[in-house]
Amino acid sequence: MSEREKRVEHLTQQAAVQDTGTGEKLIRVLFFTLILSVMNASMFNVVLPTISKEFQITSSQVSWIVTGYMIVYAIGSVTYGKLADKYRIKDLITFGLIVFALGSLVGVFATHYWMVILGRVLQSAGASVIPATAMIIPVRYFPPEKRGRALGTTASGLALGTAIGPIVSGLVSSVTSWRVLFLMSILALITLPFYRKYLDDERGTTAKTDIFGGLLLAGMVASLLLAITYETWLLFLLGIAFFVLLVIRLRKADSPFIQPALFKNKKYTFGVGTAFLATGLAFGIPFLTPQLLANVNHLSPAMIGLIMFPGAISSALLGRKGGRLADEKGNLFLFYLATAFQFIAYSLLSVTAGLSPYLILFVLISGNLGQTFMQIAMSNTISRTLPKDQVGVGMGLFSMLNFISGATATTLIGKTLDVGSSAPFNPLLINQGAIVYSNIFLTLAALVILVIILYRSQQRPVK
């Protein structure tokens, strides 16, 4: 090797070390940002009953605090990922965090319900840049042999945010107004100078981004779910119109927001459909349980947060165990374990609804573990139905549909709470004041059986 070649190799090694050092700093900043992002997504579940009473709105209407956030988050996370192929990631995250903070300010000073929704939508439009950043930093700033640890750190941030969100929400809202929860998200601006300092100026390819297609998809989902909330055919027809326009757009766009070629893969399409139902079931616990504890058990937001905390922290701590089980015993084993946990939780909640909150606390542990293990099993299963050149776009669509599934589930559950129930489906229900909640939980348990049937109906389930 010549002297020049040695010098070039030395400089390359130094650059790699420097990139890794920068990556370590960025991953710590990202860890903090992820915690705030996930907390923001989950902590409003605890105070939904309080907001409903303050603005005198129904359960289906107040569910849009969660539904609207998830719809925008789903579309936004994919959009930012596509924009990262054209613009600098530091500019995208600057824009995103500023919009995130702007939405927080709107929510803090909200005097009408529509202002709360506007604040949440703006928050989501900004916060959805964070998952895109979480995918790019480990790949761009870490070599393959160190990338797993970086991804593990981001997963820990997600788990921690999910776990502490309910308890922070409960404690904050018990001593002050629920509007202060919006203020906590402004803390994300603290990380902006560090992102600006450590992120490079690298741009991706100048690929086109089908933002119009994303807007059509968001319009379709929002219109159909609003049609359910307000029981109006006009919104339903508007949703159908958006669907027709979206299909036309997907066929004519050079780089469509959703790749139609993915749906030629029957195993992927069937798997995504099954996952859509399974994810919707998982949102039953975080949305429905606070309503039950507030309206039937008459608990304060602080107590609701404490009741929900053990389940959330258990799933965060045992998430890696679920991953190891999938590696050692196969996805099918983990899938059955997840559905067993979910079925047990929903069945017991159908019987114990309205009884001691501490009894419900232990049942929630089973439900949360089932939700986490199901996500791992379905992610692994679906990823293995895709060829290498479609893994990125296929899993991106899978992630987006998960959020849309959650938005759909909260809308349907909220509307069911509005309608109510006069007769219990479960003859074992003890507290007759919790009939509607018991019926919903029993329906979710039955749908778990349907998920098992759908999963097994694939000709060769991935193990």
Side-chain angles (χ1 to χ4, degrees), residues 1 25 29 36-37 75-76 80 129 133 174 226 228 238-239 243-244 287 390 402:
M1 183 182 294
K25 295 173 183 176
V29 177
L36 291 177
S37 173
I75 307 300
Y80 280 117
V129 73
T133 304
S174 66
L226 281 169
I228 295 172
L238 180 62
F243 173 74
V244 173
F287 176 72
Q390 290 186 340
N402 278 346

Side-chain angles (χ1 to χ4, degrees), residues 5 18 76 136 154-155 202 212 243 251 278 320 368 391 450:
E5 289 173 334
Q18 184 177 359
I136 293 171
T154 61
E202 181 181 343
F212 183 61
F243 173 74
R251 290 181 175 180
R320 288 188 176 183
N368 278 273
V391 170
L450 178 59

Side-chain angles (χ1 to χ4, degrees), residues 13-44:
Q13 291 175 347
Q14 279 188 325
V17 172
Q18 184 177 359
D19 283 346
T20 303
T22 301
E24 293 288 353
K25 295 173 183 176
L26 278 171
I27 210 70
R28 286 194 288 269
V29 177
L30 180 61
F31 178 79
F32 178 71
T33 317
L34 281 169
I35 292 174
L36 291 177
S37 173
V38 177
M39 281 179 56
N40 184 69
S42 63
M43 62 187 177
F44 277 86

Side-chain angles (χ1 to χ4, degrees), residues 398-413:
F398 166 68
S399 177
M400 179 182 70
L401 289 176
N402 278 346
F403 288 111
I404 294 176
S405 171
T408 304
T410 53
T411 299
L412 292 174
I413 292 174

Side-chain angles (χ1 to χ4, degrees), residues 38-56:
V38 177
M39 281 179 56
N40 184 69
S42 63
M43 62 187 177
F44 277 86
N45 284 323
V46 174
V47 295
L48 289 181
T50 303
I51 298 174
S52 178
K53 291 178 181 178
E54 178 171 332
F55 291 102
Q56 297 183 336

Side-chain angles (χ1 to χ4, degrees), residues 4 41 89-90 100-101 111-112 117-118 141 151 203 208 223 232 248-249 277 280 287 321 326 329 341 395 440:
R4 182 176 180 277
I89 188 65
K90 67 165 54 176
F100 191 22
T111 55
H112 298 83
I117 296 298
L118 176 60
Y141 291 90
L151 291 170
R203 298 174 185 265
K208 293 182 179 179
S223 298
T232 169
I248 295 172
R249 179 68 180 179
L277 177 58
F287 176 72
K321 177 64 175 177
K329 298 191 176 183
F341 277 133
M395 294 308 290
I440 294 174

Side-chain angles (χ1 to χ4, degrees), residues 186-200:
I186 298 179
L187 293 174
L189 285 178
I190 296 173
T191 65
L192 186 53
F194 298 99
Y195 282 119
R196 298 291 304 180
K197 179 179 179 180
Y198 295 123
L199 284 169
D200 57 37

